[in-house]
Amino acid sequence: MNLKHVFIVFKKELIDMFRDKKTIISSILIPILIFPVMYGFMGFSTKKLIKDTQEKGIEVAIKAEDNNSSIVKFLKERKELKIVDADDAVGALRKGTVKVIIFVGSGFDDAVKDGKPVPLTVQYDDTNQTSTMGEGMVREIIGQFSSEIVSQRLQEKGIDPAIINPVNIIEKKLGPQNNQDNGMGLMIFSMLLPLMLAIYSASSVLPAATDNGAGEKERGTLEPLLTTQANRLSLLMGKYFAITVAGIIGTLASMVGLFIAQKFNPEILGQGNVFSISTVIIIALATVSLTLIFAALELAVSIYARSFKEAQTYLSPITIVAMVPAFAVYMIDPKNIPIGYFNIPIVNIVCIMKELIVSIVNPLHIIIAFAWAIIYIIIAIMFARYMFTRESVVFRV
Amino acid sequence: MITVRGLSKKFKAFEAVKRISFEAREGEVLGLLGENGAGKTTTLRMLATMLKPTEGTAEINGFDLLKQPDRVRGEIGILFGGEVGIYDRLTARENIRYFAELNNMEGSAIDKRIDELADMLDMKDYIDKRVGKFSRGMKQKVSIARAIVHNPKVMLFDEPTSGLDVTSTRIIHEFIEDCRKQGKIIIFSSHTMSEVEKLCDRIVIIHKGVIVADGDIPTLRKHFNNEDLEDVFIELVGGKR
């Protein structure tokens, strides 16, 4: 291998890649924008829904035998409910003009007075988000009504209503040492971030790998390149490093997008997560190692393909290869990961990230995972080299 | 000088080239004539070290194809036919520079050589423009410059005019003439009789991977007692007149 040739190829491929509008759009622009746009719209529609519900109230139709019963009066007094007169209440619910129908049977007040349980039917449309939300609100209001009745009954019998709550639970979270209230945020973060980084590592190298292998073949530039004095390993490594850099830039762009989105919608990754520099560095190294593995694999497959289109067909499932192991440990508890997991490709890197996010720094786990990562990278490069030196693959003869 | 000795190439069960031997000399255009699939491209790919021979070897200006492939590549320039494969997002200068650097040229020698080639091939007006929107003729000139930037002593042409219009074909023909004048060793593969008759000093006719004739055109005509090279070719490859 000639390092000078490697650098020449690397430099040329980077220039070529970043002059391509397609690469800029698919590797940088879309990853930066996709999350903010997606979560921006989601946040906007959710906020609008909540605002509309709070300001205008939920449209509720009450079908009661006695409109003067205590429950009807109680419901009519609630500001968050907008009582609507509807002859065909079920039809109105279907149309969406009414969100919830409350059916109050006859003799409601008498049954309450006698201390008997009273059935009350609440009908809603579970395909309608506002209706589902309204059902929750109505359930809560009726719960308050019930509590008042229970309280009244107990007081009438001279019993302190507090008696029905014998245990008063005080919730106290352990959380991370530097942020006591943020355990939930970290849990969400430890599930989502490794998954996303694994998927990005595979998907962000895809456009560059396609262009550098099959693209070079399709353009007819591979043959002249093979007649230069640069040997194949130098050509391959130059391309490989360029693809890896493109992949890392793509992953970084996705991360930037994700963090911008989090500003709009702080619940995405959990709030207030702060990590030490060493944690960030190890997570970054883990991501780079995944990118190095996928870059070599995808370049090898791309070299095998006859055309751009063929390469895209072969390469798309590789993202799934990244997703399967990442999803397999998606729900795993970072504090109890069996040591065997640190020997499984991709899973090991994902597990290391999970541990680091919840402040577990286990040197043995890190060494095992990175040792394997180095082995996988070497195997992946050897595979790419094998493909690039095989006449039957390069020329498909 | 190029000396090819018993060169063979097998792709699985299919033998594309069968123990061929021939020579090519300085200042001479050797035509490699044959039908599609006769083994011309495979032969040139082996000489350019892109394919490894199954049997036999060749010596190019004293460098052995199998033992010194890097040195062999330093001696040759190759021009392919069909679509001109250059990098659209790079300028003409960057395209040529890339190949100069990969052929171990350095520093100001590269710029000097590129300016020289731009002058020679009349590319000065667009040498610093991106090649994406170039005409076929302009791209052809860039690919010629790229192939000869390192001043190779051997030029291999693999059906270089296939699919080209008259103007682009003329550019190639003139370039081959220039190479001959410079005393380069030239191997030119084609299946077009008129082109071979016009450009080549000597021809090797290859059919189903085997050399069926090797000699200069007047000798072949005399030997087969036929003035029409096409008739000679058809007779050799077993077709009907």
Side-chain angles (χ1 to χ4, degrees), chain A residues 225-261:
Chain A
L225 200 59
L226 295 178
T227 63
T228 64
Q229 290 178 63
N231 62 35
R232 292 201 188 176
L233 185 60
S234 307
L235 296 174
L236 179 78
M237 293 311 283
K239 285 174 174 293
Y240 173 58
F241 290 133
I243 293 168
T244 305
V245 168
I248 292 167
I249 291 173
T251 304
L252 277 176
S254 302
M255 290 289 85
V256 168
L258 198 59
F259 288 115
I260 293 172

mmCIF file of all heavy atoms in Angstrom, chain A residues 225-261:
data_model
loop_
_atom_site.group_PDB
_atom_site.id
_atom_site.type_symbol
_atom_site.label_atom_id
_atom_site.label_comp_id
_atom_site.label_asym_id
_atom_site.label_seq_id
_atom_site.Cartn_x
_atom_site.Cartn_y
_atom_site.Cartn_z
ATOM 1 N N LEU A 225 -8.653 3.946 -13.917
ATOM 2 C CA LEU A 225 -8.043 4.049 -12.593
ATOM 3 C C LEU A 225 -7.151 2.837 -12.300
ATOM 4 O O LEU A 225 -6.072 2.962 -11.718
ATOM 5 C CB LEU A 225 -9.174 4.130 -11.554
ATOM 6 C CG LEU A 225 -8.845 4.688 -10.199
ATOM 7 C CD1 LEU A 225 -8.311 6.099 -10.315
ATOM 8 C CD2 LEU A 225 -10.093 4.687 -9.319
ATOM 9 N N LEU A 226 -7.604 1.669 -12.747
ATOM 10 C CA LEU A 226 -6.851 0.439 -12.493
ATOM 11 C C LEU A 226 -5.573 0.356 -13.338
ATOM 12 O O LEU A 226 -4.734 -0.506 -13.097
ATOM 13 C CB LEU A 226 -7.733 -0.791 -12.775
ATOM 14 C CG LEU A 226 -8.953 -0.966 -11.863
ATOM 15 C CD1 LEU A 226 -9.760 -2.177 -12.282
ATOM 16 C CD2 LEU A 226 -8.544 -1.087 -10.403
ATOM 17 N N THR A 227 -5.454 1.236 -14.346
ATOM 18 C CA THR A 227 -4.241 1.202 -15.164
ATOM 19 C C THR A 227 -3.186 2.199 -14.671
ATOM 20 O O THR A 227 -2.134 2.331 -15.269
ATOM 21 C CB THR A 227 -4.560 1.515 -16.643
ATOM 22 O OG1 THR A 227 -5.075 2.848 -16.711
ATOM 23 C CG2 THR A 227 -5.560 0.549 -17.225
ATOM 24 N N THR A 228 -3.491 2.917 -13.588
ATOM 25 C CA THR A 228 -2.482 3.838 -13.045
ATOM 26 C C THR A 228 -1.482 3.047 -12.197
ATOM 27 O O THR A 228 -1.693 1.853 -11.936
ATOM 28 C CB THR A 228 -3.124 4.927 -12.155
ATOM 29 O OG1 THR A 228 -3.711 4.275 -11.028
ATOM 30 C CG2 THR A 228 -4.185 5.716 -12.898
ATOM 31 N N GLN A 229 -0.444 3.744 -11.743
ATOM 32 C CA GLN A 229 0.580 3.031 -10.962
ATOM 33 C C GLN A 229 0.177 2.797 -9.514
ATOM 34 O O GLN A 229 0.903 2.158 -8.755
ATOM 35 C CB GLN A 229 1.899 3.800 -11.045
ATOM 36 C CG GLN A 229 2.472 3.701 -12.439
ATOM 37 C CD GLN A 229 3.753 4.477 -12.600
ATOM 38 O OE1 GLN A 229 4.755 4.177 -11.960
ATOM 39 N NE2 GLN A 229 3.731 5.481 -13.450
ATOM 40 N N ALA A 230 -0.972 3.316 -9.136
ATOM 41 C CA ALA A 230 -1.463 3.062 -7.770
ATOM 42 C C ALA A 230 -1.978 1.624 -7.719
ATOM 43 O O ALA A 230 -2.730 1.216 -8.608
ATOM 44 C CB ALA A 230 -2.598 4.025 -7.445
ATOM 45 N N ASN A 231 -1.563 0.875 -6.695
ATOM 46 C CA ASN A 231 -2.072 -0.498 -6.639
ATOM 47 C C ASN A 231 -3.489 -0.517 -6.055
ATOM 48 O O ASN A 231 -3.988 0.482 -5.541
ATOM 49 C CB ASN A 231 -1.111 -1.415 -5.860
ATOM 50 C CG ASN A 231 -0.936 -0.983 -4.426
ATOM 51 O OD1 ASN A 231 -1.877 -0.494 -3.800
ATOM 52 N ND2 ASN A 231 0.263 -1.142 -3.903
ATOM 53 N N ARG A 232 -4.119 -1.663 -6.172
ATOM 54 C CA ARG A 232 -5.546 -1.727 -5.819
ATOM 55 C C ARG A 232 -5.813 -1.456 -4.343
ATOM 56 O O ARG A 232 -6.815 -0.844 -4.010
ATOM 57 C CB ARG A 232 -6.122 -3.088 -6.222
ATOM 58 C CG ARG A 232 -6.143 -3.200 -7.714
ATOM 59 C CD ARG A 232 -7.105 -4.206 -8.219
ATOM 60 N NE ARG A 232 -6.889 -4.335 -9.659
ATOM 61 C CZ ARG A 232 -7.496 -5.187 -10.425
ATOM 62 N NH1 ARG A 232 -8.394 -6.003 -9.923
ATOM 63 N NH2 ARG A 232 -7.260 -5.237 -11.721
ATOM 64 N N LEU A 233 -4.906 -1.913 -3.493
ATOM 65 C CA LEU A 233 -5.121 -1.696 -2.059
ATOM 66 C C LEU A 233 -5.107 -0.191 -1.748
ATOM 67 O O LEU A 233 -5.919 0.300 -0.960
ATOM 68 C CB LEU A 233 -4.063 -2.441 -1.235
ATOM 69 C CG LEU A 233 -4.263 -2.387 0.274
ATOM 70 C CD1 LEU A 233 -5.603 -2.997 0.677
ATOM 71 C CD2 LEU A 233 -3.131 -3.094 1.001
ATOM 72 N N SER A 234 -4.190 0.542 -2.392
ATOM 73 C CA SER A 234 -4.126 1.997 -2.168
ATOM 74 C C SER A 234 -5.419 2.660 -2.645
ATOM 75 O O SER A 234 -5.966 3.542 -1.972
ATOM 76 C CB SER A 234 -2.946 2.608 -2.914
ATOM 77 O OG SER A 234 -1.767 1.940 -2.591
ATOM 78 N N LEU A 235 -5.887 2.257 -3.814
ATOM 79 C CA LEU A 235 -7.135 2.829 -4.344
ATOM 80 C C LEU A 235 -8.284 2.533 -3.384
ATOM 81 O O LEU A 235 -9.086 3.408 -3.047
ATOM 82 C CB LEU A 235 -7.464 2.232 -5.724
ATOM 83 C CG LEU A 235 -6.482 2.508 -6.866
ATOM 84 C CD1 LEU A 235 -6.884 1.729 -8.114
ATOM 85 C CD2 LEU A 235 -6.434 4.000 -7.188
ATOM 86 N N LEU A 236 -8.332 1.272 -2.952
ATOM 87 C CA LEU A 236 -9.417 0.840 -2.066
ATOM 88 C C LEU A 236 -9.396 1.615 -0.750
ATOM 89 O O LEU A 236 -10.431 2.117 -0.300
ATOM 90 C CB LEU A 236 -9.287 -0.661 -1.789
ATOM 91 C CG LEU A 236 -10.336 -1.236 -0.854
ATOM 92 C CD1 LEU A 236 -11.646 -1.455 -1.589
ATOM 93 C CD2 LEU A 236 -9.871 -2.539 -0.243
ATOM 94 N N MET A 237 -8.205 1.747 -0.152
ATOM 95 C CA MET A 237 -8.130 2.402 1.153
ATOM 96 C C MET A 237 -8.463 3.898 1.049
ATOM 97 O O MET A 237 -9.105 4.458 1.942
ATOM 98 C CB MET A 237 -6.748 2.204 1.786
ATOM 99 C CG MET A 237 -6.448 0.764 2.173
ATOM 100 S SD MET A 237 -7.750 -0.050 3.123
ATOM 101 C CE MET A 237 -7.491 0.650 4.726
ATOM 102 N N GLY A 238 -8.040 4.530 -0.036
ATOM 103 C CA GLY A 238 -8.385 5.937 -0.247
ATOM 104 C C GLY A 238 -9.890 6.116 -0.304
ATOM 105 O O GLY A 238 -10.469 7.009 0.335
ATOM 106 N N LYS A 239 -10.532 5.239 -1.034
ATOM 107 C CA LYS A 239 -11.989 5.298 -1.158
ATOM 108 C C LYS A 239 -12.643 4.999 0.196
ATOM 109 O O LYS A 239 -13.604 5.652 0.592
ATOM 110 C CB LYS A 239 -12.470 4.267 -2.193
ATOM 111 C CG LYS A 239 -12.195 4.668 -3.625
ATOM 112 C CD LYS A 239 -12.554 3.550 -4.573
ATOM 113 C CE LYS A 239 -12.417 4.014 -6.008
ATOM 114 N NZ LYS A 239 -13.400 5.033 -6.360
ATOM 115 N N TYR A 240 -12.095 3.993 0.866
ATOM 116 C CA TYR A 240 -12.650 3.555 2.142
ATOM 117 C C TYR A 240 -12.639 4.688 3.179
ATOM 118 O O TYR A 240 -13.652 4.948 3.843
ATOM 119 C CB TYR A 240 -11.835 2.354 2.626
ATOM 120 C CG TYR A 240 -12.171 1.870 4.011
ATOM 121 C CD1 TYR A 240 -13.455 1.472 4.331
ATOM 122 C CD2 TYR A 240 -11.195 1.800 4.996
ATOM 123 C CE1 TYR A 240 -13.760 1.017 5.601
ATOM 124 C CE2 TYR A 240 -11.484 1.350 6.263
ATOM 125 C CZ TYR A 240 -12.774 0.965 6.555
ATOM 126 O OH TYR A 240 -13.076 0.531 7.818
ATOM 127 N N PHE A 241 -11.504 5.379 3.285
ATOM 128 C CA PHE A 241 -11.425 6.468 4.264
ATOM 129 C C PHE A 241 -12.367 7.621 3.886
ATOM 130 O O PHE A 241 -12.984 8.226 4.761
ATOM 131 C CB PHE A 241 -9.982 6.967 4.409
ATOM 132 C CG PHE A 241 -9.080 5.973 5.098
ATOM 133 C CD1 PHE A 241 -7.837 5.652 4.583
ATOM 134 C CD2 PHE A 241 -9.491 5.341 6.266
ATOM 135 C CE1 PHE A 241 -7.015 4.729 5.204
ATOM 136 C CE2 PHE A 241 -8.675 4.409 6.895
ATOM 137 C CZ PHE A 241 -7.428 4.101 6.366
ATOM 138 N N ALA A 242 -12.483 7.875 2.587
ATOM 139 C CA ALA A 242 -13.383 8.954 2.147
ATOM 140 C C ALA A 242 -14.830 8.615 2.497
ATOM 141 O O ALA A 242 -15.581 9.463 2.993
ATOM 142 C CB ALA A 242 -13.231 9.174 0.648
ATOM 143 N N ILE A 243 -15.204 7.359 2.259
ATOM 144 C CA ILE A 243 -16.575 6.920 2.578
ATOM 145 C C ILE A 243 -16.825 7.032 4.078
ATOM 146 O O ILE A 243 -17.886 7.476 4.521
ATOM 147 C CB ILE A 243 -16.793 5.459 2.105
ATOM 148 C CG1 ILE A 243 -16.749 5.394 0.591
ATOM 149 C CG2 ILE A 243 -18.114 4.907 2.609
ATOM 150 C CD1 ILE A 243 -16.676 3.979 0.052
ATOM 151 N N THR A 244 -15.816 6.621 4.860
ATOM 152 C CA THR A 244 -15.963 6.682 6.319
ATOM 153 C C THR A 244 -16.170 8.127 6.779
ATOM 154 O O THR A 244 -17.057 8.396 7.602
ATOM 155 C CB THR A 244 -14.718 6.072 7.001
ATOM 156 O OG1 THR A 244 -14.540 4.756 6.493
ATOM 157 C CG2 THR A 244 -14.874 6.016 8.500
ATOM 158 N N VAL A 245 -15.363 9.042 6.231
ATOM 159 C CA VAL A 245 -15.512 10.458 6.614
ATOM 160 C C VAL A 245 -16.903 10.959 6.225
ATOM 161 O O VAL A 245 -17.578 11.626 7.017
ATOM 162 C CB VAL A 245 -14.398 11.324 5.960
ATOM 163 C CG1 VAL A 245 -14.700 12.801 6.108
ATOM 164 C CG2 VAL A 245 -13.055 11.000 6.597
ATOM 165 N N ALA A 246 -17.344 10.596 5.027
ATOM 166 C CA ALA A 246 -18.692 11.005 4.585
ATOM 167 C C ALA A 246 -19.744 10.452 5.550
ATOM 168 O O ALA A 246 -20.703 11.144 5.910
ATOM 169 C CB ALA A 246 -18.954 10.518 3.171
ATOM 170 N N GLY A 247 -19.535 9.200 5.974
ATOM 171 C CA GLY A 247 -20.471 8.564 6.907
ATOM 172 C C GLY A 247 -20.498 9.286 8.244
ATOM 173 O O GLY A 247 -21.568 9.536 8.814
ATOM 174 N N ILE A 248 -19.318 9.652 8.740
ATOM 175 C CA ILE A 248 -19.247 10.341 10.036
ATOM 176 C C ILE A 248 -19.918 11.715 9.923
ATOM 177 O O ILE A 248 -20.668 12.122 10.822
ATOM 178 C CB ILE A 248 -17.780 10.449 10.510
ATOM 179 C CG1 ILE A 248 -17.269 9.040 10.856
ATOM 180 C CG2 ILE A 248 -17.653 11.379 11.709
ATOM 181 C CD1 ILE A 248 -15.776 8.939 11.029
ATOM 182 N N ILE A 249 -19.671 12.407 8.807
ATOM 183 C CA ILE A 249 -20.313 13.720 8.617
ATOM 184 C C ILE A 249 -21.840 13.550 8.578
ATOM 185 O O ILE A 249 -22.574 14.310 9.196
ATOM 186 C CB ILE A 249 -19.780 14.407 7.329
ATOM 187 C CG1 ILE A 249 -18.314 14.801 7.528
ATOM 188 C CG2 ILE A 249 -20.620 15.641 6.965
ATOM 189 C CD1 ILE A 249 -17.611 15.324 6.296
ATOM 190 N N GLY A 250 -22.291 12.503 7.880
ATOM 191 C CA GLY A 250 -23.736 12.230 7.795
ATOM 192 C C GLY A 250 -24.326 11.959 9.175
ATOM 193 O O GLY A 250 -25.392 12.464 9.529
ATOM 194 N N THR A 251 -23.610 11.148 9.972
ATOM 195 C CA THR A 251 -24.094 10.829 11.326
ATOM 196 C C THR A 251 -24.128 12.091 12.182
ATOM 197 O O THR A 251 -25.093 12.329 12.915
ATOM 198 C CB THR A 251 -23.183 9.760 11.978
ATOM 199 O OG1 THR A 251 -23.139 8.636 11.109
ATOM 200 C CG2 THR A 251 -23.688 9.342 13.335
ATOM 201 N N LEU A 252 -23.069 12.909 12.066
ATOM 202 C CA LEU A 252 -23.030 14.162 12.829
ATOM 203 C C LEU A 252 -24.207 15.060 12.438
ATOM 204 O O LEU A 252 -24.860 15.653 13.309
ATOM 205 C CB LEU A 252 -21.721 14.911 12.555
ATOM 206 C CG LEU A 252 -20.511 14.479 13.364
ATOM 207 C CD1 LEU A 252 -19.274 15.230 12.910
ATOM 208 C CD2 LEU A 252 -20.749 14.740 14.853
ATOM 209 N N ALA A 253 -24.486 15.120 11.125
ATOM 210 C CA ALA A 253 -25.604 15.949 10.652
ATOM 211 C C ALA A 253 -26.919 15.456 11.258
ATOM 212 O O ALA A 253 -27.753 16.255 11.700
ATOM 213 C CB ALA A 253 -25.671 15.913 9.131
ATOM 214 N N SER A 254 -27.079 14.127 11.299
ATOM 215 C CA SER A 254 -28.297 13.562 11.885
ATOM 216 C C SER A 254 -28.404 13.921 13.359
ATOM 217 O O SER A 254 -29.480 14.246 13.863
ATOM 218 C CB SER A 254 -28.303 12.040 11.745
ATOM 219 O OG SER A 254 -28.210 11.689 10.408
ATOM 220 N N MET A 255 -27.261 13.858 14.047
ATOM 221 C CA MET A 255 -27.252 14.179 15.471
ATOM 222 C C MET A 255 -27.596 15.657 15.703
ATOM 223 O O MET A 255 -28.349 15.992 16.610
ATOM 224 C CB MET A 255 -25.874 13.879 16.068
ATOM 225 C CG MET A 255 -25.536 12.408 16.178
ATOM 226 S SD MET A 255 -26.455 11.537 17.431
ATOM 227 C CE MET A 255 -27.887 11.073 16.762
ATOM 228 N N VAL A 256 -27.029 16.518 14.845
ATOM 229 C CA VAL A 256 -27.333 17.951 14.948
ATOM 230 C C VAL A 256 -28.845 18.140 14.780
ATOM 231 O O VAL A 256 -29.493 18.843 15.564
ATOM 232 C CB VAL A 256 -26.540 18.764 13.883
ATOM 233 C CG1 VAL A 256 -27.056 20.196 13.790
ATOM 234 C CG2 VAL A 256 -25.053 18.769 14.227
ATOM 235 N N GLY A 257 -29.409 17.457 13.774
ATOM 236 C CA GLY A 257 -30.854 17.534 13.527
ATOM 237 C C GLY A 257 -31.651 17.084 14.734
ATOM 238 O O GLY A 257 -32.635 17.717 15.129
ATOM 239 N N LEU A 258 -31.183 16.001 15.339
ATOM 240 C CA LEU A 258 -31.887 15.444 16.497
ATOM 241 C C LEU A 258 -31.861 16.423 17.680
ATOM 242 O O LEU A 258 -32.862 16.612 18.368
ATOM 243 C CB LEU A 258 -31.216 14.122 16.878
ATOM 244 C CG LEU A 258 -31.995 13.177 17.745
ATOM 245 C CD1 LEU A 258 -33.292 12.778 17.075
ATOM 246 C CD2 LEU A 258 -31.178 11.933 18.037
ATOM 247 N N PHE A 259 -30.714 17.050 17.888
ATOM 248 C CA PHE A 259 -30.602 17.981 19.007
ATOM 249 C C PHE A 259 -31.384 19.275 18.752
ATOM 250 O O PHE A 259 -31.930 19.851 19.690
ATOM 251 C CB PHE A 259 -29.141 18.243 19.362
ATOM 252 C CG PHE A 259 -28.507 17.053 20.017
ATOM 253 C CD1 PHE A 259 -27.475 16.355 19.414
ATOM 254 C CD2 PHE A 259 -28.981 16.569 21.232
ATOM 255 C CE1 PHE A 259 -26.923 15.224 19.996
ATOM 256 C CE2 PHE A 259 -28.434 15.438 21.832
ATOM 257 C CZ PHE A 259 -27.405 14.763 21.206
ATOM 258 N N ILE A 260 -31.457 19.671 17.457
ATOM 259 C CA ILE A 260 -32.288 20.842 17.141
ATOM 260 C C ILE A 260 -33.751 20.489 17.434
ATOM 261 O O ILE A 260 -34.495 21.259 18.042
ATOM 262 C CB ILE A 260 -32.122 21.273 15.663
ATOM 263 C CG1 ILE A 260 -30.709 21.805 15.415
ATOM 264 C CG2 ILE A 260 -33.150 22.341 15.279
ATOM 265 C CD1 ILE A 260 -30.388 22.085 13.957
ATOM 266 N N ALA A 261 -34.135 19.273 17.023
ATOM 267 C CA ALA A 261 -35.518 18.820 17.249
ATOM 268 C C ALA A 261 -35.835 18.780 18.737
ATOM 269 O O ALA A 261 -36.942 19.102 19.166
ATOM 270 C CB ALA A 261 -35.723 17.447 16.623
#
